[in-house]
Amino acid sequence: MFYTLIVGALKNLIGSDVKSSSSALLSLVSKNLSDVSENEVNRCIELILSRRDRKIFIMGAGRSGLVGRAFALRLLHLGYEVHVLGETLTPSLSKDDLVIAISGSGSTRLVITAVEAAKHVGATIIGITSYPDSSLGKLADFILQVKGRVIPTTEANGRDYFARQILGLHEPLAPLGTLFEDTCMILLDAMIPILMNKLNLSEVDLGRRHANIE
Amino acid sequence: MFYTLIVGALKNLIGSDVKSSSSALLSLVSKNLSDVSENEVNRCIELILSRRDRKIFIMGAGRSGLVGRAFALRLLHLGYEVHVLGETLTPSLSKDDLVIAISGSGSTRLVITAVEAAKHVGATIIGITSYPDSSLGKLADFILQVKGRVIPTTEANGRDYFARQILGLHEPLAPLGTLFEDTCMILLDAMIPILMNKLNLSEVDLGRRHANIE
Amino acid sequence: MFYTLIVGALKNLIGSDVKSSSSALLSLVSKNLSDVSENEVNRCIELILSRRDRKIFIMGAGRSGLVGRAFALRLLHLGYEVHVLGETLTPSLSKDDLVIAISGSGSTRLVITAVEAAKHVGATIIGITSYPDSSLGKLADFILQVKGRVIPTTEANGRDYFARQILGLHEPLAPLGTLFEDTCMILLDAMIPILMNKLNLSEVDLGRRHANIE
Amino acid sequence: MFYTLIVGALKNLIGSDVKSSSSALLSLVSKNLSDVSENEVNRCIELILSRRDRKIFIMGAGRSGLVGRAFALRLLHLGYEVHVLGETLTPSLSKDDLVIAISGSGSTRLVITAVEAAKHVGATIIGITSYPDSSLGKLADFILQVKGRVIPTTEANGRDYFARQILGLHEPLAPLGTLFEDTCMILLDAMIPILMNKLNLSEVDLGRRHANIE
């Protein structure tokens, strides 16, 4: 309902110029962020904090995978042992490791299959998705709902990510297709200063570290 | 000056909660977007439109490279022949091809070296950077200035991206370290509906295409 | 039968030194190469030659994917438009495009799913596998049988590649685990001079091209 | 001298068929393997064994990078913490970590820059190269010489890998261009059973591990 209204409003802006298009996009991201549950995001931070000495494995495909990689880089910089699905090296997981799986639809098969394997060995799963009732939502131990993914009824869900690309079946391009990823990008980046704070890392610490090396 | 004020304000918010942290981040992204030159962004869109039948090569390292990849995926979906620096397959470029190089500092050596090679064969270079006076700024035929990257004076600029990672020399983690990438992400995503419009692509077209396949 | 004998012989050599280990490996590769069908490999070359102006898409997971990438680089250098499964950018395929799928077991799910999608749009499939009766063997329009993959009965075949990595289920490490990939590497590299010859490309041509640039 | 003779002999075989081409390639690989120093390869194995609890970082560009990745996968399967240059996540290194840098010419700038950074923090460097007098050879603490790379005098050495690709400056395609990588592939794979043996890992152990999971 909300989206139908926004899409209508947004369509009017599109084609005029990038400024209007980007501020329309920002408003939607802002609305999505305000819909994120405080509890869910706090639990997510606690889980990350509790895995200081364990592996964190970020899973996602396509643009969600790229947003996941951007977050993974930050976790690496915070001192975590972090891995990403789809890189050359995929580690084996075990109990007590943490998986953060990102899929707007919650049904990207590449991600679901990897999550199932991780669950099989007892890893804890955080599912970041627009659909708590999706396969990912059901597999996840904890859900971080981020709105934004609209799934066209014509799309064959549950298809493998690469298969969809080969078939030319892309998620809606714009304006709403990117909303999930953009919201995740901002939300995950906003977690970093909180994590730094809780881990007692400061820019000063990092500066001192640099000094040692130079 | 602006940043000093904002950093001060932002520091107060950090550590409280993700909601405040994310809305502070959004405000900064919004401020940065309003500073983007209308002319620069329009020229960028015209250049992309004019390369409908040529190669577009996206260059970036680290998180800027990930944002570039997210944009490259969209260009691919719009029907472009697009390539990305750092993938297994790096094509040779020639005159009339377009390079979009993303580097906040404008001095990431990996990117600069690739841009120099592209310039050597006559490709047109768009440089997306916070620093028009940087190496990238000077090499670029067109600049799209996006504020957000703050370069600590202690950081050895011009170092190779991978070398800095190996040395543990990361850009500031938060809050400002991510600002350049987040602004680029929103800005580039906001270009997509404009490009769709100008290319006369609609969601209906894409839907029709799906129907053919299914 | 052959393998049982060879494994026995090889086990005796292992642990002594790398020289014996590498010449034992070379003998096995050599034996495997002599088992490759002349007809199958020639048809493969003809198919590649016939796709001079079409896309070639190389598919493989893990080490087979790496061998496929090494071949893809060569095809790119020969002037082909070539793509690789698992990179950021996955193009849509269509009729007349060529897929070269590499899977020793012929049952790597990631590859099978992508092959199915490619077949759906009418692309021609070459399957390089040790098992003509596998899923890949059945999907492929043309098979290039390369021996070397031994599948332990305890291994859950048909599992997704990434899932197996997460579970710690690796193919046999040595000596036979690498035989398929090593044989493929040599075989595919040996196709390059033949392709160069048929395409009338010479080192001299390439030299001339360099001269233009420099 | 040897190569000139071989090239002459090989040229006659090329264009006839893949069988002759592949056995000619195998002979060259075999000759190269016999030229590898027993001492150098043993020291390499000892260094890997001594880094059981440290990071191993594999560096290479292009096809050498792919061969390095194939070896990295095996080290991962043997239980090592291993990283690869060019993946999303580049860890910081420190004293006592081990770098294995693979560059036929010994002058690939991307690799050299990363090696310099690693050396700066005190990591031990193994350089696998055809040229002990190259930049890599001089930076390396230990050299593992593998012949096979022939550097055309017209090639601008020391150029960045990506820059060369963009300029269309490839190493000789065939037959000798691939010799270094193919020899490295066999040599590194031949080290795996030796490492397994020294680490007291057996296929039975791996089988038992599987049983635990299933």
Side-chain angles (χ1 to χ4, degrees), chain C residues 140-206:
Chain C
D141 298 296
F142 301 96
I143 288 173
L144 175 50
Q145 188 178 8
V146 174
K147 295 183 181 168
R149 170 64 71 244
V150 175
I151 303 173
T153 51
T154 55
E155 188 180 330
N157 289 307
R159 268 189 198 280
D160 174 75
Y161 172 74
F162 292 117
R164 278 193 284 119
Q165 300 297 309
I166 289 166
L167 294 168
L169 296 168
H170 313 304
E171 67 275 45
L173 268 174
L176 291 182
T178 61
L179 204 45
F180 173 75
E181 293 107 51
D182 290 353
T183 308
C184 283
M185 182 89 170
I186 301 289
L187 180 65
L188 293 171
D189 276 348
M191 285 187 193
I192 297 298
I194 314 292
L195 286 167
M196 277 177 72
N197 214 35
K198 302 254 187 190
L199 293 166
N200 276 319
L201 295 173
S202 70
E203 305 268 352
V204 177
D205 290 324
L206 297 170

Side-chain angles (χ1 to χ4, degrees), chain C residues 11 14-15 17-19 21-22 25-26 29-30 33-34 36 38 41 45 62-63 66-67 69-70 73-74 77-78 159 161 165 167-174 177-178 181-182 185-187 189-194 196-197 203 206 210 213-214, chain D residues 14-15 17-19 21-22 25-26 29-30 33-34 36 38 41 45 62-63 66-67 69-70 73-74 77-78 159 161 165 167-174 177-178 181-182 185-187 189-194 196-197 203 206 209-210 213-214:
Chain C
K11 288 261 166 175
I14 290 173
D17 63 286
V18 173
K19 292 260 172 178
S21 169
S22 64
L25 194 50
L26 265 195
V29 168
S30 177
L33 284 169
S34 69
V36 168
E38 195 85 35
V41 82
I45 285 179
R63 284 172 49 101
L66 294 168
V67 168
R69 277 167 167 79
L73 268 171
R74 287 305 184 213
H77 295 169
L78 289 177
R159 268 189 198 280
Y161 172 74
Q165 300 297 309
L167 294 168
L169 296 168
H170 313 304
E171 67 275 45
L173 268 174
T178 61
E181 293 107 51
D182 290 353
M185 182 89 170
I186 301 289
L187 180 65
D189 276 348
M191 285 187 193
I192 297 298
I194 314 292
M196 277 177 72
N197 214 35
E203 305 268 352
L206 297 170
H210 289 188
I213 295 170
E214 289 290 296
Chain D
I14 289 174
D17 63 286
V18 174
K19 292 261 173 177
S21 168
S22 64
L25 194 50
L26 266 195
V29 169
S30 177
L33 284 169
S34 70
V36 169
E38 195 85 34
V41 82
I45 285 178
R63 284 171 50 101
L66 294 168
V67 167
R69 277 167 166 79
L73 268 171
R74 288 303 184 216
H77 296 169
L78 289 177
R159 269 189 197 278
Y161 172 74
Q165 300 297 308
L167 294 168
L169 296 168
H170 313 304
E171 67 274 43
L173 268 174
T178 61
E181 294 107 50
D182 290 352
M185 182 90 169
I186 301 289
L187 180 64
D189 276 349
M191 286 187 193
I192 298 297
I194 314 292
M196 278 177 72
N197 214 35
E203 306 267 353
L206 296 170
R209 188 175 166 209
H210 290 188
I213 294 170
E214 290 292 295

Side-chain angles (χ1 to χ4, degrees), chain A residues 40-94:
Chain A
E40 287 179 7
V41 82
N42 286 340
R43 210 162 37 191
C44 188
I45 286 178
E46 279 158 35
L47 285 163
I48 293 173
L49 289 170
S50 71
R51 258 57 176 200
R52 200 71 186 85
D53 304 312
R54 306 293 313 178
K55 290 178 196 162
I56 297 186
F57 199 126
I58 312 284
M59 299 177 176
R63 285 172 49 103
S64 295
L66 294 168
V67 168
R69 277 168 166 79
F71 187 54
L73 267 172
R74 288 303 185 215
L75 292 179
L76 180 81
H77 296 168
L78 289 177
Y80 278 92
E81 181 187 343
V82 59
H83 301 273
V84 167
L85 185 67
E87 304 280 287
T88 300
L89 301 164
T90 306
S92 61
L93 293 184
S94 51

Side-chain angles (χ1 to χ4, degrees), chain B residues 40-130:
Chain B
E40 287 179 6
V41 81
N42 286 339
R43 209 162 39 192
C44 188
I45 286 178
E46 278 159 35
L47 285 163
I48 293 174
L49 289 170
S50 72
R51 261 55 176 201
R52 199 72 187 85
D53 303 313
R54 306 292 313 178
K55 291 178 195 160
I56 297 185
F57 199 126
I58 312 283
M59 299 177 174
R63 286 173 48 102
S64 294
L66 294 168
V67 167
R69 278 167 165 78
F71 186 54
L73 268 171
R74 288 304 184 215
L75 291 180
L76 181 82
H77 295 169
L78 288 176
Y80 278 92
E81 181 185 343
V82 59
H83 301 272
V84 168
L85 185 67
E87 304 280 286
T88 301
L89 301 165
T90 306
S92 61
L93 291 184
S94 51
K95 205 171 150 317
D96 298 335
D97 290 332
L98 179 65
V99 168
I100 302 176
I102 308 173
S103 166
S105 70
S107 61
T108 313
R109 208 188 289 172
L110 183 73
V111 174
I112 297 303
T113 312
V115 165
E116 284 170 343
K119 208 174 168 65
H120 193 261
V121 295
T124 300
I125 317 288
I126 296 174
I128 304 183
T129 179
S130 298

